[in-house]
Amino acid sequence: MASRAMMVAVLLAAVAATCARAQLHEKFYGETCPSVEDVVRKEMVRALSLAPSLAGPLLRMHFHDCFVRGCDGSVLLDSANKTAEKDAKPNQTLRGFDFVEKVKAAVEKACPDTVSCADILALMARDAVWLSKGPFWEVPLGRRDGSVSISNETNQLPPPTANFTVLTQLFAAKNLDSKDLVVLSAGHTIGTSHCFSFSDRLYNFTGRVNPTDIDPTLEPQYMAKLRNKCTSLNDNTTLVEMDPGSFRTFDLAYFKNVVKRRGLFHSDGALLTNAFTRAYVERHAGGSYKEEFFADFAASMIKMGNADVLTGSQGEIRKKCNVPNH
């Protein structure tokens, strides 16, 4: 009897999850705020024309939002005692929060109390990719905003130091598979990173903290270039292009770098340790299947954007993205 009740509970949970995803659709604001995408894109075009390097951080912000509590805008919330997601170490290098508030204000002016911050962030991430010469996709909308943001929960974020096993476990927790992992990792084709996210590969790979303690899987010439930029483990300010030479263009160069053992992070190099993800990297390193990769990236972004969403009467529509309504 107990096992039957448990089975029913599991089935109901699965149905609820399916229904939540089903409530997201591209025309969700078709009647209540038909101009929302135009409003967001106008702000994005203006901002990226002045600061094209903002595209990568906005894509990353959506990713970090979805991996903690689902895509509910919780990464945007402030905390008076500095215990929100944005205060946690993995999120302290996120940028663009003020710009998100600016876009939200523009949307509020057009359609008050209608569009969630979670949806705005999803649209901004899509436009960040598209305006960087990447793919365009229709974003399913209808997310609601959460009101809880806890710094300790950012341990659900895939760290740049993770190996393949850890990466697949963290992705699986969000219903994302190995293909999603290798496809979404290619988001590293735009943007920059601080040295401290990978400098252990240069000076402290096994914990000995000396100039010879290097990651042997990193290509030697690339290693030398990185060490020239990041001169010590204590460098907390220097920024390095994640995709050298085209870090403002969404393209397939990321795969070319990874296959040459020039992926910046442990997590990039980890893609070569699994047969499936390695084959995917090698297929796209030649650059002959751009449209195929673009379609895959769009599909994985939509899939990630469905992670644990709040819909219907759940959550709220925040007036400002950094504070709950009540």
Side-chain angles (χ1 to χ4, degrees), residues 29 32-33 35 104-116 317-319:
Y29 299 110
T32 57
C33 190
S35 65
K104 172 62 172 174
V107 172
E108 282 294 305
K109 185 176 181 180
C111 313
D113 305 317
T114 303
V115 182
S116 69
I317 304 297
R318 288 185 218 139
K319 291 287 289 183

Side-chain angles (χ1 to χ4, degrees), residues 1-12:
M1 191 75 174
S3 61
R4 184 177 178 182
M6 184 177 294
M7 186 179 296
V8 170
V10 170
L11 288 172
L12 286 174

Side-chain angles (χ1 to χ4, degrees), residues 66-288:
C66 291
F67 265 78
V68 182
R69 290 189 167 264
C71 312
D72 68 344
S74 55
V75 73
L76 304 170
L77 287 170
D78 289 337
S79 168
N81 55 2
K82 302 298 181 183
T83 57
E85 290 173 34
K86 64 167 58 172
D87 301 307
K89 187 174 180 179
N91 288 334
Q92 287 175 3
T93 55
L94 289 179
R95 61 188 183 94
F97 291 109
D98 289 343
F99 179 53
V100 173
E101 292 295 342
K102 181 177 181 180
V103 176
K104 172 62 172 174
V107 172
E108 282 294 305
K109 185 176 181 180
C111 313
D113 305 317
T114 303
V115 182
S116 69
C117 296
D119 275 347
I120 289 172
L121 190 53
L123 289 170
M124 292 174 70
R126 187 274 311 278
D127 285 352
V129 171
W130 181 60
L131 292 170
S132 300
K133 301 183 180 178
F136 181 90
W137 63 93
E138 295 292 341
V139 178
L141 300 168
R143 299 167 190 79
R144 304 268 291 181
D145 294 323
S147 58
V148 176
S149 185
I150 302 171
S151 60
N152 290 342
E153 293 184 349
T154 56
N155 60 6
Q156 299 170 61
L157 289 169
T161 55
N163 61 28
F164 189 79
T165 299
V166 172
L167 290 170
T168 52
Q169 290 171 345
L170 292 170
F171 271 67
K174 297 302 172 186
N175 196 37
L176 299 170
D177 57 27
S178 294
K179 183 175 182 180
D180 299 311
L181 166 60
V182 65
V183 168
L184 292 174
S185 292
H188 293 163
T189 187
I190 54 174
T192 58
S193 172
H194 288 81
C195 291
F196 60 75
S197 294
F198 58 86
S199 57
D200 63 314
R201 305 184 78 188
L202 313 180
Y203 301 104
N204 190 33
F205 187 61
T206 63
R208 298 201 310 269
V209 194
N210 67 55
T212 63
D213 193 12
I214 61 176
D215 183 349
T217 67
L218 203 56
E219 194 274 324
Q221 290 185 349
Y222 184 51
M223 166 91 65
K225 289 181 180 179
L226 291 177
R227 286 168 67 110
N228 189 48
K229 289 179 177 292
C230 306
T231 56
S232 77
L233 284 171
N234 300 319
D235 188 335
N236 295 318
T237 57
T238 302
L239 289 171
V240 174
E241 298 173 7
M242 292 192 290
D243 187 356
S246 63
F247 77 108
R248 292 178 178 174
T249 304
F250 195 97
D251 55 22
L252 279 72
Y254 168 81
F255 295 114
K256 185 176 181 179
N257 289 329
V258 171
V259 84
K260 290 182 175 180
R261 297 189 296 124
R262 294 181 177 182
L264 188 60
F265 306 118
H266 287 274
S267 58
D268 296 323
L271 299 176
L272 299 178
T273 65
N274 171 267
F276 174 81
T277 53
R278 183 185 184 100
Y280 191 95
V281 169
E282 291 173 341
R283 175 176 176 80
H284 291 289
S288 300

